[in-house]
Amino acid sequence: MERLEWSGRWLRAGLAGGRVSRRLPWLLLAIVLLGSALKDGDLVPETPMRNKRNPLNVYFVKVAWAWTFWLLLPFIAVTTYQFAKSKFLYGATKSVLMVLRRLSALAVGTAIWYICTGLFMYIENLTGTCSASGKLNEPRRLYATKQECHQNNGIWDGFDISGHCFLLSYCALMIMEEVAVLEGLSIDQNSKLRVVINGLLVSLCFLTVIWVFMFLCTAVYFHDFSQKILGVLIGLSAWYGTYRCWYLKPFSPGLPLPNIPLSSKKHGYSR
């Protein structure tokens, strides 16, 4: 328990002021540039991470949005309600409504994940051709999709925008934005709620480390440079378009509470 408290306190100090969320986009872009240079120069050593069947890829990255969603869900709900209640921004009913509003950011994230991954698959199918080994006298078949090609033991060659670069960058940035609520959250040292929040914070930060590490592995082992840079730019655009633009507007999920404009907080106190 003491280690959890120490870890939570250390992470809060490291995340204070939004330093990580400001620098993370530049770090991700630098990783793509450096990783692609190493890959193109054939300077990357053979490691188990080159295999797509490595445990981190199979059990984490393949379901990256599920991990992010189910850890952020209780974190956003608990911290938003506690912050609104402790700072007297809203009454109990309005605090619940604020929680529901903030949780809608996860619905937005789910829509972004679904639309973008579907678009990537569409582009790959639209631009690809199948190289399938058939019998000599057998007429060559045309395959409309990557799935049909693979079902017939073929190799699909299309423009494969890196879904890993997109999703891992978006998930990492989203987590960093949401944990910003802790900067203004005050909880009793002996509170069970503090243990829950610290546990979720440590889990989310550990998950972010995995996302950035697997982002690095993608940059040095997989995809062409154009596919990776486009993937990460779409991820950064999704983050910037929501947390830096849309979420500042009244009709949106809104920002984590410490990032609410000061005028809105004053209005809340006056009520």
Side-chain angles (χ1 to χ4, degrees):
M1 204 68 70
E2 290 181 2
R3 288 186 179 180
L4 182 61
E5 175 62 29
W6 179 87
S7 299
R9 197 163 52 240
W10 183 80
L11 288 170
R12 287 184 190 219
L15 295 169
R19 293 188 295 269
V20 176
S21 60
R22 287 196 301 270
R23 295 169 183 172
L24 186 56
W26 300 107
L27 174 63
L28 295 172
L29 288 172
I31 287 173
V32 167
L33 293 172
L34 180 59
S36 297
L38 292 173
K39 179 177 181 292
D40 294 342
D42 199 22
L43 301 173
V44 185
E46 286 287 342
T47 71
M49 304 312 294
R50 185 184 287 273
N51 186 347
K52 292 183 178 180
R53 301 298 300 171
N54 70 78
L56 284 178
N57 194 53
V58 173
Y59 297 110
F60 282 89
V61 179
K62 291 293 185 182
V63 285
W65 181 245
W67 278 105
T68 304
F69 183 98
W70 289 112
L71 280 176
L72 277 178
L73 180 65
F75 181 84
I76 293 174
V78 171
T79 55
T80 301
Y81 184 83
Q82 181 64 22
F83 188 90
K85 183 180 175 182
S86 64
K87 298 298 181 181
F88 305 106
L89 290 177
Y90 307 98
T93 302
K94 289 194 174 181
S95 293
V96 172
L97 292 176
M98 172 57 73
V99 170
L100 294 176
R101 178 188 176 190
R102 289 266 41 261
L103 285 176
S104 66
L106 294 175
V108 172
T110 301
I112 289 173
W113 161 73
Y114 183 81
I115 292 171
C116 287
T117 51
L119 178 63
F120 296 167
M121 291 174 61
Y122 175 77
I123 291 174
E124 188 178 10
N125 285 331
L126 188 67
T127 59
T129 56
C130 182
S131 300
S133 57
K135 296 179 181 179
L136 291 176
N137 296 328
E138 186 177 294
R140 186 173 180 178
R141 291 182 56 189
L142 296 178
Y143 299 96
T145 66
K146 180 180 179 179
Q147 184 179 9
E148 290 180 7
C149 178
H150 285 176
Q151 286 174 349
N152 289 273
N153 300 318
I155 299 174
W156 188 262
D157 182 22
F159 188 73
D160 182 16
I161 300 173
S162 177
H164 280 25
C165 284
F166 152 69
L167 187 57
L168 296 176
S169 60
Y170 180 61
C171 286
L173 287 164
M174 185 176 184
I175 291 172
M176 289 299 101
E177 291 288 349
E178 292 298 338
V179 297
V181 73
L182 293 175
E183 191 172 347
L185 192 63
S186 179
I187 307 173
D188 180 16
Q189 290 280 353
N190 300 319
S191 171
K192 291 181 179 180
L193 182 61
R194 189 180 185 89
V195 175
V196 172
I197 291 175
N198 281 334
L200 288 169
L201 172 63
V202 171
S203 299
L204 284 166
C205 289
F206 179 69
L207 191 65
T208 303
V209 171
I210 293 177
W211 294 163
V212 174
F213 174 70
M214 292 306 295
F215 184 92
L216 172 63
C217 293
T218 300
V220 298
Y221 287 124
F222 304 104
H223 293 282
D224 295 335
F225 172 72
S226 59
Q227 298 168 350
K228 288 180 286 195
I229 195 66
L230 188 54
V232 71
L233 287 176
I234 293 172
L236 295 180
S237 298
W239 157 73
Y240 192 89
T242 50
Y243 283 91
R244 293 292 187 266
C245 296
W246 181 33
Y247 289 1
L248 298 173
K249 308 297 182 184
F251 297 102
S252 74
L255 292 170
L257 286 177
N259 294 324
I260 291 177
L262 187 59
S263 58
S264 298
K265 290 185 178 181
K266 289 180 178 177
H267 180 65
Y269 284 122
S270 65
R271 296 172 67 183

